[in-house]
Amino acid sequence: MAPHHVLRCCQRSLAWIPVIFINLVVGWSYYAYVVELCILTIPNNAEKISYLVVFHLFFVMFIWSYWKTICSRPANPSKEFCLPKVDKEQYEKEEHPDTQQEILKKVVVGLPVYTRTGTGAVRYCDHCLVIKPDRCHHCSTCDMCVLKMDHHCPWVNNCVGFSNYKFFVLFLAYSMLYCVFIAATVLQYFIKFWTVSNTVLPDTHAKFHVLFLFFVAAMFFISVLSLFSYHLWLVGKNRTTIEAFRAPVFRNGPDKNGFSLGFSRNMAEVFGDQKKYWMFPIYSSHGDGNSFVTRLVNLDPEQIAVGLQVNGKRLFMVS
C-alpha cells in the first residue's frame, strides 16, 4: 500500500485536471474567435476591430477574476481561536465530551462566536485544533478550516470562502458575459456558413471552429447563468451555500437570516463600500472573516460583554 503522503500528492495533482480543461477550452475559444472568425472570416474592418476590442475586454476580466479565485489562499481562523496551552492540555486529557464542552464554553466567552452545532455545543475542529468562528467550516479536500466557507470548487481547485468569494462571483459574471458575447457575435456567421446558398464566405475549416464555438459558448452560458443567479441571490441574502442548505444555529435556535443585514449592507459585505471597485477582482470585502455582525433576537448572556470590531468601530450583536 502506497504511503499516505504519496496518495495525497497524487490527489492534489489530479485535482488540477478540471482547471487544465477549462484553460484548454478558453485557449481554443481565443484562437477560434480571434484568428478563425475575426482575422480570417469577417471581411469588414470596422466590425472586426469592434469585436476584438470588446472580446479582449471580457477576456481579460474573465481570466483575471478566474486566476484570482484560484490563487487566493483560503483564510484560516486567527490565533485567538486556538485554545490556550493550559486549556488545550486539559481538553486533550479529558475523555468525557460534556467536560470537554465545559472547557470550550469557558474559552468561547471571550470570543465573538455566536453559532453552535445542531445540539447546541461549541463548534470545535479536532483536526485543526481551533474553535470554529461563525460561518467557518473544515474542508476535507483542503484539509483546513476555511473562514466563511461557501464550497470547495473543483473548477478552480480551491475553497471558495471569505478570501475569494468576491472573485468567484466576478468570475461567474465575466465568464457569462464572455460566453454570451461570443455566442451573439458568432451567430450570424454560424448561419451564413451553414446556409446552402451561401457564396459570400469561403468554404474552409473555419466553419467548424465557428460551429463548435457557438455551441460551446451557448452551453456554458446557460450553465453559468443559473449558477451566477444563485450566488447573486446568496449575496443578497448574506448566506453561503452551506447556510442555504443548513441554517446556522445560534443559542436561541436555527436562523437562516441570522447574518442578513439588508440587501445594501449584504452586498457591501462582499463587494465593499466603494462601488468603483465592485467590478474589479480587487479585494474590498468587509471585515477579517473571523467575526460577523448578526441580527439575534436576544444576545447570549455569556456573550453580553463581547463586541465586534467592524471598520474601526465596536459593535454589539443586536437585532
Side-chain angles (χ1 to χ4, degrees):
M1 185 176 180
H4 176 72
H5 68 276
V6 175
L7 292 174
R8 188 69 178 170
C9 183
C10 292
Q11 289 175 345
R12 289 179 177 176
S13 299
L14 292 173
W16 285 101
I17 291 177
V19 176
I20 294 171
F21 171 76
I22 290 294
N23 280 275
L24 288 175
V25 172
V26 172
W28 165 77
S29 70
Y30 184 90
Y31 165 79
Y33 192 90
V34 173
V35 178
E36 296 292 344
L37 179 68
C38 290
I39 296 178
L40 301 180
T41 301
I42 298 178
N44 187 289
N45 287 331
E47 181 183 9
K48 182 184 302 186
I49 293 172
S50 62
Y51 281 5
L52 285 173
V53 169
V54 178
F55 172 83
H56 280 92
L57 176 64
F58 288 144
F59 178 79
V60 170
M61 297 304 293
F62 164 56
I63 294 297
W64 185 9
S65 56
Y66 180 56
W67 279 98
K68 283 285 284 185
T69 308
I70 294 174
C71 297
S72 298
R73 178 170 161 57
N76 310 122
S78 61
K79 293 181 179 179
E80 65 178 321
F81 291 90
C82 296
L83 292 179
K85 185 177 180 181
V86 176
D87 294 311
K88 183 180 178 182
E89 291 176 353
Q90 187 180 357
Y91 179 88
E92 292 174 347
K93 291 177 181 178
E94 187 57 55
E95 297 180 356
H96 296 87
D98 292 340
T99 310
Q100 288 180 326
Q101 273 298 307
E102 290 303 319
I103 297 171
L104 295 177
K105 287 179 180 178
K106 183 181 68 173
V107 177
V108 83
V109 169
L111 297 173
V113 176
Y114 294 86
T115 54
R116 298 288 188 267
T117 65
T119 59
V122 176
R123 300 167 64 242
Y124 182 76
C125 181
D126 291 310
H127 295 282
C128 302
L129 304 177
V130 295
I131 294 173
K132 294 180 182 179
D134 293 341
R135 318 185 84 175
C136 175
H137 298 274
H138 185 87
C139 176
S140 57
T141 305
C142 295
D143 196 26
M144 66 175 70
C145 281
V146 179
L147 296 178
K148 197 185 177 184
M149 180 178 172
D150 188 89
H151 68 287
H152 184 91
C153 181
W155 299 109
V156 299
N157 191 27
N158 199 2
C159 252
V160 176
F162 178 79
S163 64
N164 62 355
Y165 188 63
K166 176 190 174 183
F167 308 147
F168 177 74
V169 174
L170 289 179
F171 154 61
L172 294 178
Y174 286 120
S175 60
M176 185 181 66
L177 291 173
Y178 179 74
C179 290
V180 73
F181 176 77
I182 290 177
T185 52
V186 163
L187 179 60
Q188 62 170 312
Y189 294 96
F190 168 79
I191 295 173
K192 288 180 181 179
F193 266 127
W194 295 97
T195 300
V196 178
S197 60
N198 174 53
T199 56
V200 179
L201 300 175
D203 187 15
T204 64
H205 63 279
K207 70 178 182 179
F208 294 102
H209 285 284
V210 170
L211 168 68
F212 288 110
L213 191 60
F214 174 76
F215 280 116
V216 170
M219 179 184 66
F220 273 95
F221 168 71
I222 293 171
S223 59
V224 172
L225 175 62
S226 59
L227 189 60
F228 174 70
S229 300
Y230 176 67
H231 279 278
L232 207 58
W233 177 80
L234 289 177
V235 172
K237 296 289 185 180
N238 204 341
R239 298 177 196 168
T240 63
T241 299
I242 294 174
E243 292 164 355
F245 285 95
R246 186 174 66 247
V249 180
F250 297 89
R251 288 287 298 273
N252 53 348
D255 184 358
K256 63 181 180 180
N257 295 315
F259 295 105
S260 181
L261 306 171
F263 181 77
S264 59
R265 291 184 66 185
N266 292 343
M267 291 289 290
E269 189 167 290
V270 174
F271 294 100
D273 292 319
Q274 296 183 298
K275 293 184 179 180
K276 62 182 179 181
Y277 296 126
W278 281 20
M279 304 307 293
F280 297 96
I282 300 171
Y283 182 81
S284 58
S285 302
H286 281 177
D288 59 3
N290 287 288
S291 54
F292 296 89
V293 178
T294 66
R295 54 174 205 174
L296 301 177
V297 177
N298 295 304
L299 273 174
D300 297 346
E302 298 176 5
Q303 306 285 67
I304 196 71
V306 182
L308 180 66
Q309 295 291 333
V310 178
N311 294 337
K313 297 180 180 180
R314 189 174 180 82
L315 300 175
F316 288 95
M317 310 306 182
V318 295
S319 57

